[in-house]
Amino acid sequence: MKKALLGIAFIATLMTSCKKETKDEVKEATEAVGNEMGEAMDTAAVKVDAAVDSTKVKAGETLERGAKKMDEAAEKLKEAGKK
């Protein structure tokens, strides 16, 4: 009977220590995933900022070309009005 109780106590001890190790591993894995997600978010933010800057530049160039064409059209209308 003593051997059976000691065996059960030994198994319970092993199971308890395994639970601690498992909890530690889960905690480490969770932290690793959190760090990776943070890095991914930072990378995405940089890419979004670059895309926004590029879009602003392209929109500005397009507006400048549009304004130039409008000025040319206005000049043509003035000249046509003078004749």
Side-chain angles (χ1 to χ4, degrees), residues 12-64:
T13 303
L14 285 177
M15 291 177 72
T16 303
S17 66
C18 289
K19 286 181 183 177
K20 288 181 183 177
E21 290 175 12
T22 303
K23 287 179 183 178
D24 291 342
E25 290 176 4
V26 169
K27 183 178 178 182
E28 290 173 7
T30 302
E31 290 173 358
V33 169
N35 291 337
E36 288 180 22
M37 289 298 292
E39 291 172 6
M41 295 286 284
D42 292 342
T43 302
V46 168
K47 289 181 180 179
V48 167
D49 288 343
V52 167
D53 290 342
S54 175
T55 302
K56 285 180 182 178
V57 168
K58 289 178 183 177
E61 291 171 353
T62 302
L63 288 172
E64 287 175 11

